[in-house]
Coordinates of all heavy atoms in Angstrom, one line a residue:
M1 N -112.3 -1.2 -136.5 CA -111.2 -1.8 -135.8 C -111.2 -1.6 -134.3 O -111.6 -0.4 -133.9 CB -110.0 -1.3 -136.5 CG -108.7 -1.7 -135.7 SD -107.2 -0.8 -136.3 CE -106.7 -1.9 -137.7
E2 N -110.8 -2.5 -133.5 CA -110.7 -2.3 -132.1 C -109.3 -2.9 -131.8 O -108.9 -3.9 -132.1 CB -111.7 -3.1 -131.3 CG -111.6 -2.7 -129.9 CD -112.7 -3.3 -129.0 OE1 -113.4 -4.2 -129.4 OE2 -112.6 -3.0 -127.8
V3 N -108.6 -2.0 -131.0 CA -107.3 -2.3 -130.5 C -107.3 -2.5 -129.0 O -107.9 -1.7 -128.3 CB -106.2 -1.2 -130.9 CG1 -104.8 -1.6 -130.4 CG2 -106.2 -1.0 -132.4
V4 N -106.7 -3.6 -128.6 CA -106.6 -3.9 -127.1 C -105.2 -4.3 -126.8 O -104.5 -4.8 -127.7 CB -107.6 -5.0 -126.7 CG1 -109.0 -4.5 -126.8 CG2 -107.4 -6.2 -127.5
I5 N -104.8 -4.0 -125.6 CA -103.5 -4.4 -125.0 C -103.7 -5.3 -123.8 O -104.5 -4.8 -122.9 CB -102.6 -3.3 -124.6 CG1 -102.3 -2.3 -125.9 CG2 -101.2 -3.7 -124.1 CD1 -101.4 -1.1 -125.6
D6 N -103.1 -6.5 -123.8 CA -103.1 -7.2 -122.6 C -101.9 -6.6 -121.7 O -100.8 -7.1 -121.8 CB -102.8 -8.7 -123.0 CG -102.7 -9.6 -121.7 OD1 -102.9 -9.1 -120.6 OD2 -102.4 -10.8 -121.8
R7 N -102.4 -5.7 -121.0 CA -101.2 -4.8 -120.4 C -100.4 -5.5 -119.3 O -99.2 -5.2 -119.1 CB -101.9 -3.6 -119.7 CG -102.8 -2.8 -120.5 CD -103.2 -1.4 -120.0 NE -102.1 -0.5 -119.6 CZ -101.8 -0.2 -118.4 NH1 -102.3 -0.8 -117.4 NH2 -100.7 0.6 -118.2
E8 N -100.9 -6.6 -118.7 CA -100.0 -7.4 -117.8 C -98.7 -7.8 -118.4 O -97.7 -7.9 -117.8 CB -100.8 -8.6 -117.4 CG -101.0 -8.6 -115.8 CD -101.9 -9.8 -115.4 OE1 -101.5 -10.9 -115.5 OE2 -103.1 -9.5 -115.2
G9 N -98.8 -8.2 -119.8 CA -97.6 -8.7 -120.4 C -96.7 -7.7 -121.0 O -95.6 -8.0 -121.5
C10 N -97.1 -6.4 -121.0 CA -96.3 -5.3 -121.7 C -95.0 -5.2 -120.9 O -94.9 -5.2 -119.7 CB -97.1 -4.0 -121.6 SG -96.2 -2.6 -122.2
I11 N -93.9 -5.1 -121.7 CA -92.5 -4.9 -121.2 C -92.0 -3.5 -121.4 O -90.8 -3.3 -121.2 CB -91.6 -6.0 -121.8 CG1 -91.5 -5.9 -123.3 CG2 -91.9 -7.4 -121.3 CD1 -90.3 -6.7 -124.0
S12 N -92.9 -2.6 -121.7 CA -92.6 -1.2 -121.8 C -91.5 -0.8 -122.8 O -90.7 0.0 -122.6 CB -92.3 -0.6 -120.4 OG -93.3 -0.9 -119.4
C13 N -91.4 -1.6 -123.9 CA -90.4 -1.4 -124.9 C -90.6 -0.1 -125.6 O -89.5 0.5 -126.2 CB -90.3 -2.6 -125.8 SG -91.6 -2.5 -127.1
G14 N -91.7 0.4 -125.8 CA -92.0 1.6 -126.5 C -92.3 1.6 -127.9 O -92.5 2.6 -128.5
L15 N -92.2 0.4 -128.5 CA -92.4 0.3 -129.9 C -93.7 0.8 -130.3 O -93.9 1.6 -131.4 CB -92.2 -1.1 -130.4 CG -92.4 -1.5 -131.9 CD1 -91.4 -2.4 -132.4 CD2 -93.8 -1.8 -132.2
C16 N -94.8 0.5 -129.6 CA -96.2 0.8 -130.1 C -96.3 2.3 -130.0 O -96.9 3.0 -130.9 CB -97.2 0.1 -129.3 SG -97.2 0.4 -127.5
V17 N -95.8 2.9 -128.9 CA -95.9 4.4 -128.7 C -95.2 5.1 -129.7 O -95.6 6.1 -130.3 CB -95.4 4.7 -127.3 CG1 -95.4 6.2 -127.1 CG2 -96.1 4.1 -126.2
S18 N -93.9 4.6 -130.2 CA -93.2 5.3 -131.2 C -93.8 5.1 -132.5 O -93.6 5.9 -133.5 CB -91.8 5.0 -131.2 OG -91.6 3.6 -131.3
T19 N -94.5 4.0 -132.7 CA -95.1 3.7 -134.0 C -96.4 4.6 -134.2 O -96.6 5.1 -135.3 CB -95.6 2.2 -134.2 OG1 -94.4 1.4 -134.0 CG2 -96.2 1.9 -135.5
C20 N -97.2 4.7 -133.2 CA -98.5 5.5 -133.4 C -98.8 6.1 -132.0 O -99.7 5.5 -131.3 CB -99.5 4.6 -133.9 SG -101.0 5.4 -134.4
E21 N -98.3 7.3 -131.8 CA -98.5 7.9 -130.4 C -99.9 8.4 -130.3 O -100.3 8.8 -129.2 CB -97.5 9.0 -130.2 CG -97.6 10.1 -131.2 CD -96.4 11.1 -130.9 OE1 -95.6 11.0 -130.1 OE2 -96.5 12.2 -131.6
D22 N -100.7 8.5 -131.4 CA -102.0 9.1 -131.2 C -103.0 7.9 -130.7 O -104.0 8.2 -130.1 CB -102.6 9.4 -132.6 CG -101.9 10.7 -133.1 OD1 -101.5 11.5 -132.3 OD2 -101.9 10.9 -134.3
V23 N -102.5 6.7 -130.8 CA -103.3 5.5 -130.3 C -102.7 4.9 -129.0 O -103.4 4.6 -128.1 CB -103.4 4.4 -131.3 CG1 -104.0 3.2 -130.8 CG2 -104.2 5.0 -132.6
F24 N -101.4 4.8 -129.0 CA -100.7 4.2 -127.8 C -99.9 5.2 -127.0 O -99.2 6.1 -127.6 CB -99.7 3.1 -128.3 CG -100.4 2.1 -129.1 CD1 -100.3 2.2 -130.5 CD2 -101.1 1.0 -128.6 CE1 -100.8 1.2 -131.4 CE2 -101.6 0.0 -129.4 CZ -101.5 0.1 -130.8
Q25 N -100.0 5.1 -125.7 CA -99.2 6.0 -124.8 C -98.9 5.2 -123.6 O -99.5 4.3 -123.3 CB -100.0 7.3 -124.4 CG -100.0 8.4 -125.5 CD -98.7 9.1 -125.7 OE1 -97.9 9.1 -124.9 NE2 -98.5 9.5 -127.0
F26 N -97.8 5.7 -122.9 CA -97.4 5.0 -121.7 C -98.4 5.6 -120.5 O -98.6 6.8 -120.4 CB -96.0 5.3 -121.2 CG -95.0 4.6 -122.0 CD1 -94.0 5.2 -122.8 CD2 -95.0 3.1 -122.0 CE1 -93.1 4.5 -123.6 CE2 -94.0 2.4 -122.8 CZ -93.2 3.0 -123.5
A27 N -98.9 4.6 -119.8 CA -99.7 5.0 -118.6 C -98.7 5.3 -117.4 O -97.5 5.1 -117.5 CB -100.6 4.0 -118.3
D28 N -99.3 5.8 -116.2 CA -98.5 6.1 -115.1 C -97.7 4.9 -114.6 O -96.7 5.1 -113.9 CB -99.4 6.7 -114.0 CG -100.0 8.0 -114.4 OD1 -99.4 8.7 -115.3 OD2 -101.0 8.5 -113.7
D29 N -98.2 3.7 -114.9 CA -97.5 2.6 -114.4 C -96.4 2.1 -115.3 O -95.7 1.1 -115.1 CB -98.5 1.3 -114.2 CG -99.2 0.9 -115.4 OD1 -98.8 1.4 -116.5 OD2 -100.0 0.0 -115.3
G30 N -96.1 2.8 -116.3 CA -95.0 2.6 -117.2 C -95.3 1.7 -118.4 O -94.5 1.4 -119.2
K31 N -96.5 1.2 -118.3 CA -97.0 0.2 -119.4 C -97.8 1.0 -120.5 O -98.4 2.0 -120.1 CB -97.7 -1.0 -118.9 CG -96.8 -1.8 -117.9 CD -97.6 -3.1 -117.4 CE -96.7 -3.9 -116.6 NZ -97.3 -5.2 -116.3
A32 N -97.8 0.5 -121.7 CA -98.5 1.1 -122.7 C -100.0 0.9 -122.6 O -100.5 -0.2 -122.0 CB -98.1 0.5 -124.1
E33 N -100.8 1.8 -123.0 CA -102.3 1.7 -123.0 C -102.8 2.3 -124.3 O -102.1 3.1 -125.0 CB -102.9 2.4 -121.8 CG -102.7 4.0 -121.8 CD -103.4 4.6 -120.7 OE1 -104.1 4.0 -119.8 OE2 -103.2 5.8 -120.5
V34 N -104.0 1.9 -124.7 CA -104.7 2.5 -125.8 C -105.4 3.7 -125.3 O -106.3 3.7 -124.5 CB -105.7 1.5 -126.4 CG1 -106.5 2.1 -127.5 CG2 -104.9 0.2 -126.9
I35 N -105.0 4.9 -125.9 CA -105.7 6.1 -125.5 C -106.9 6.5 -126.4 O -107.8 7.3 -126.0 CB -104.7 7.3 -125.4 CG1 -104.0 7.5 -126.7 CG2 -103.7 7.1 -124.3 CD1 -103.3 8.9 -126.9
K36 N -106.9 6.0 -127.5 CA -108.1 6.1 -128.4 C -108.0 5.1 -129.5 O -106.9 4.5 -129.8 CB -108.2 7.5 -129.0 CG -107.3 7.8 -130.2 CD -107.8 9.1 -130.9 CE -106.9 9.4 -132.1 NZ -107.3 8.6 -133.3
Q37 N -109.1 4.7 -130.0 CA -109.1 3.6 -131.1 C -108.7 4.4 -132.5 O -108.9 5.5 -132.6 CB -110.5 3.1 -131.3 CG -111.0 2.3 -130.1 CD -110.0 0.9 -129.9 OE1 -109.6 0.4 -130.9 NE2 -109.8 0.7 -128.8
P38 N -108.0 3.7 -133.3 CA -107.6 4.1 -134.6 C -108.7 4.7 -135.5 O -109.7 4.2 -135.5 CB -106.9 3.0 -135.3 CG -106.7 2.0 -134.2 CD -107.7 2.2 -133.2
E39 N -108.4 5.9 -136.0 CA -109.4 6.5 -136.9 C -108.7 6.7 -138.3 O -107.6 7.3 -138.3 CB -109.8 7.8 -136.4 CG -110.7 7.7 -135.1 CD -110.9 9.1 -134.4 OE1 -110.5 10.1 -135.0 OE2 -111.3 9.1 -133.3
G40 N -109.3 6.2 -139.3 CA -108.8 6.4 -140.7 C -107.7 5.4 -141.0 O -107.2 4.7 -140.1
E41 N -107.4 5.3 -142.3 CA -106.6 4.3 -142.9 C -105.1 4.3 -142.2 O -104.5 3.3 -141.9 CB -106.5 4.4 -144.3 CG -106.0 3.1 -145.0 CD -106.2 3.3 -146.5 OE1 -107.2 3.8 -147.0 OE2 -105.3 2.9 -147.2
N42 N -104.6 5.5 -142.1 CA -103.2 5.7 -141.6 C -103.1 5.2 -140.2 O -102.2 4.4 -139.9 CB -102.9 7.1 -141.7 CG -101.4 7.3 -141.4 OD1 -100.6 6.6 -141.9 ND2 -101.0 8.3 -140.6
E43 N -103.9 5.5 -139.3 CA -103.9 5.1 -137.9 C -104.1 3.6 -137.8 O -103.5 2.9 -137.0 CB -104.8 5.9 -137.1 CG -104.4 7.3 -136.7 CD -105.2 8.0 -135.8 OE1 -106.2 7.4 -135.2 OE2 -105.0 9.2 -135.5
E44 N -105.0 3.1 -138.6 CA -105.3 1.6 -138.6 C -104.1 0.9 -139.0 O -103.7 -0.2 -138.6 CB -106.5 1.3 -139.5 CG -107.8 1.8 -138.8 CD -109.0 1.3 -139.5 OE1 -108.9 0.5 -140.5 OE2 -110.1 1.5 -139.1
T45 N -103.3 1.3 -140.1 CA -102.2 0.7 -140.6 C -101.2 0.7 -139.5 O -100.5 -0.3 -139.2 CB -101.7 1.4 -141.8 OG1 -102.7 1.3 -142.8 CG2 -100.4 0.8 -142.4
M46 N -100.9 1.9 -138.9 CA -99.9 2.0 -137.9 C -100.2 1.1 -136.6 O -99.3 0.5 -136.1 CB -99.8 3.4 -137.3 CG -99.3 4.4 -138.4 SD -97.6 3.9 -138.8 CE -97.3 5.1 -140.1
A47 N -101.5 1.0 -136.3 CA -101.9 0.1 -135.1 C -101.6 -1.3 -135.5 O -101.1 -2.1 -134.7 CB -103.4 0.3 -134.8
R48 N -101.9 -1.7 -136.7 CA -101.5 -3.1 -137.2 C -100.0 -3.3 -137.1 O -99.5 -4.4 -136.7 CB -102.0 -3.3 -138.6 CG -103.5 -3.7 -138.6 CD -103.9 -4.4 -139.9 NE -105.3 -4.4 -139.9 CZ -106.1 -3.5 -140.5 NH1 -105.5 -2.5 -141.1 NH2 -107.4 -3.6 -140.5
E49 N -99.3 -2.3 -137.6 CA -97.8 -2.5 -137.5 C -97.3 -2.6 -136.1 O -96.4 -3.4 -135.8 CB -97.1 -1.2 -138.1 CG -96.9 -1.3 -139.6 CD -96.2 -0.1 -140.2 OE1 -95.4 0.5 -139.5 OE2 -96.5 0.2 -141.3
A50 N -97.9 -1.9 -135.2 CA -97.5 -2.0 -133.7 C -97.9 -3.3 -133.2 O -97.1 -4.0 -132.5 CB -98.3 -0.8 -132.9
A51 N -99.0 -3.8 -133.5 CA -99.3 -5.2 -133.1 C -98.5 -6.2 -133.6 O -98.1 -7.1 -132.9 CB -100.8 -5.5 -133.5
E52 N -98.1 -6.1 -134.9 CA -97.2 -7.1 -135.4 C -95.8 -7.0 -134.9 O -95.1 -8.0 -134.8 CB -97.1 -6.9 -137.0 CG -98.4 -7.5 -137.7 CD -98.5 -7.0 -139.1 OE1 -97.5 -6.5 -139.7 OE2 -99.6 -7.2 -139.6
G53 N -95.4 -5.8 -134.5 CA -94.0 -5.5 -134.0 C -93.8 -5.7 -132.5 O -92.7 -5.8 -132.0
C54 N -94.9 -5.8 -131.8 CA -94.8 -5.8 -130.4 C -94.0 -7.2 -130.0 O -94.4 -8.3 -130.4 CB -96.2 -5.9 -129.7 SG -96.1 -6.2 -127.9
P55 N -92.9 -7.0 -129.3 CA -92.0 -8.2 -129.0 C -92.7 -9.3 -128.2 O -92.2 -10.4 -128.2 CB -90.8 -7.6 -128.3 CG -91.3 -6.3 -127.8 CD -92.3 -5.8 -128.7
V56 N -93.7 -8.9 -127.4 CA -94.3 -9.9 -126.6 C -95.8 -10.2 -127.0 O -96.5 -10.9 -126.3 CB -94.3 -9.5 -125.0 CG1 -92.9 -9.7 -124.5 CG2 -94.8 -8.1 -124.8
A57 N -96.1 -9.6 -128.2 CA -97.4 -10.0 -128.8 C -98.6 -9.7 -127.9 O -99.4 -10.6 -127.8 CB -97.4 -11.4 -129.4
V58 N -98.6 -8.7 -127.3 CA -99.8 -8.4 -126.3 C -100.8 -7.4 -126.9 O -101.8 -7.0 -126.2 CB -99.4 -7.9 -124.9 CG1 -98.6 -9.0 -124.2 CG2 -98.5 -6.6 -125.0
I59 N -100.5 -6.9 -128.2 CA -101.5 -6.0 -128.7 C -102.4 -6.8 -129.7 O -101.9 -7.6 -130.6 CB -100.8 -4.9 -129.5 CG1 -99.8 -4.1 -128.7 CG2 -101.9 -4.0 -130.2 CD1 -99.0 -3.1 -129.4
G60 N -103.7 -6.7 -129.4 CA -104.7 -7.5 -130.3 C -105.4 -6.3 -131.2 O -105.7 -5.3 -130.8
V61 N -105.6 -6.8 -132.5 CA -106.3 -5.9 -133.4 C -107.4 -6.8 -133.9 O -107.2 -7.8 -134.5 CB -105.4 -5.4 -134.6 CG1 -106.1 -4.6 -135.6 CG2 -104.2 -4.6 -134.0
E62 N -108.7 -6.3 -133.7 CA -109.9 -7.0 -134.2 C -110.6 -6.2 -135.2 O -110.6 -5.0 -135.1 CB -110.8 -7.3 -133.0 CG -110.1 -8.3 -131.9 CD -110.8 -8.2 -130.7 OE1 -111.9 -7.7 -130.6 OE2 -110.3 -8.8 -129.7
Ligands
SF4_1 S1 -94.9 -2.8 -128.1 FE1 -95.8 -4.2 -126.7 S2 -94.4 -4.5 -125.1 FE2 -93.8 -2.7 -126.2 S3 -94.7 -1.0 -125.1 FE3 -96.1 -1.6 -126.7 S4 -97.5 -3.1 -125.8 FE4 -95.7 -2.9 -124.4

């Protein structure tokens, strides 16, 4: 699995960070970034949830 964020469109709502803080964190510019790729079933599930829940649909899961 690879997770990417189209950071330009991020509105800093925090959903992804609160869903899976091991994968998503806020960068210095206030937008979310991927700090590491999901490892294991639990993180992959959380990353998918974050992607589905992102209000502006800028998280991609491949
Ligand atoms: S859920 Fe989407 S809009 Fe919200 S912080 Fe994460 S990437 Fe940004």
Side-chain angles (χ1 to χ4, degrees):
M1 171 188 273
E2 185 182 5
V3 181
V4 293
I5 300 179
D6 179 3
R7 302 188 67 248
E8 239 174 75
C10 173
I11 57 170
S12 306
C13 76
L15 180 140
C16 60
V17 176
S18 60
T19 300
C20 190
E21 63 184 3
D22 290 332
V23 172
F24 304 99
Q25 281 292 329
F26 285 121
D28 290 343
D29 64 2
K31 296 185 176 189
E33 66 178 353
V34 176
I35 56 165
K36 80 170 182 75
Q37 292 299 324
E39 290 168 10
E41 200 173 319
N42 189 43
E43 285 185 5
E44 289 191 357
T45 300
M46 292 296 175
R48 277 198 193 91
E49 272 182 28
E52 285 165 13
C54 176
V56 286
V58 293
I59 303 176
V61 177
E62 294 163 11

